[in-house]
Amino acid sequence: MIITRVVLNEADLDRRVKAAARKLAPDVVRIRYDIALDSTGEEAIYLRVLLSDDASREVRLGEVTSRVRAELSNKLKLDDLGFKAYSFFRSESEQATMKDPTWS
């Protein structure tokens, strides 16, 4: 169990993550996350963002990922919680091939 500098209300965090995903739809299919220590021993949130295949196209990917990161930072207020955020992106097609349960 990780003890955070600020009391983390997991239900509130879940609500905020889901709200961000809804706002970013249809580009964002869903967002999953884990809270753990990073390689420096600092508390971090690892965000797994599943993108639609359209949002994952090369011509759109940079704009979409920047918008997703900005929205997550705004909605989740991670700086206030003292968390570092690490965002990982995958397309629906990649996930269909990889079938990674942590992204489901």
Side-chain angles (χ1 to χ4, degrees):
M1 179 175 193
I2 295 173
I3 300 171
T4 61
R5 289 181 215 111
V6 176
V7 175
L8 177 63
N9 181 328
E10 289 188 53
D12 184 49
L13 181 60
D14 283 336
R15 183 184 55 74
R16 289 177 186 214
V17 169
K18 288 175 184 171
R22 280 190 306 271
K23 183 174 181 181
L24 294 162
D27 291 334
V28 170
V29 176
R30 69 178 159 270
I31 302 171
R32 301 290 188 250
Y33 66 92
D34 291 306
I35 298 171
L37 298 179
D38 69 8
S39 62
T40 66
E42 295 293 318
E43 295 166 327
I45 184 167
Y46 294 86
L47 298 151
R48 296 179 305 279
V49 181
L50 187 65
L51 299 175
S52 69
D53 288 336
D54 181 59
S56 301
R57 291 183 302 125
E58 188 175 348
V59 296
R60 297 199 56 222
L61 189 59
E63 175 269 323
V64 170
T65 57
S66 293
R67 187 166 41 88
V68 168
R69 285 186 180 108
E71 182 65 23
L72 288 170
S73 178
N74 181 44
K75 282 273 192 227
L76 304 183
K77 309 276 190 239
L78 297 173
D79 291 338
D80 295 346
L81 295 174
F83 283 97
K84 290 183 180 180
Y86 298 94
S87 302
F88 302 92
F89 297 89
R90 183 176 289 174
S91 72
E92 286 182 291
S93 293
E94 288 173 302
Q95 175 57 14
T97 300
M98 298 174 89
K99 297 179 180 142
D100 184 340
T102 63
W103 284 76
S104 297

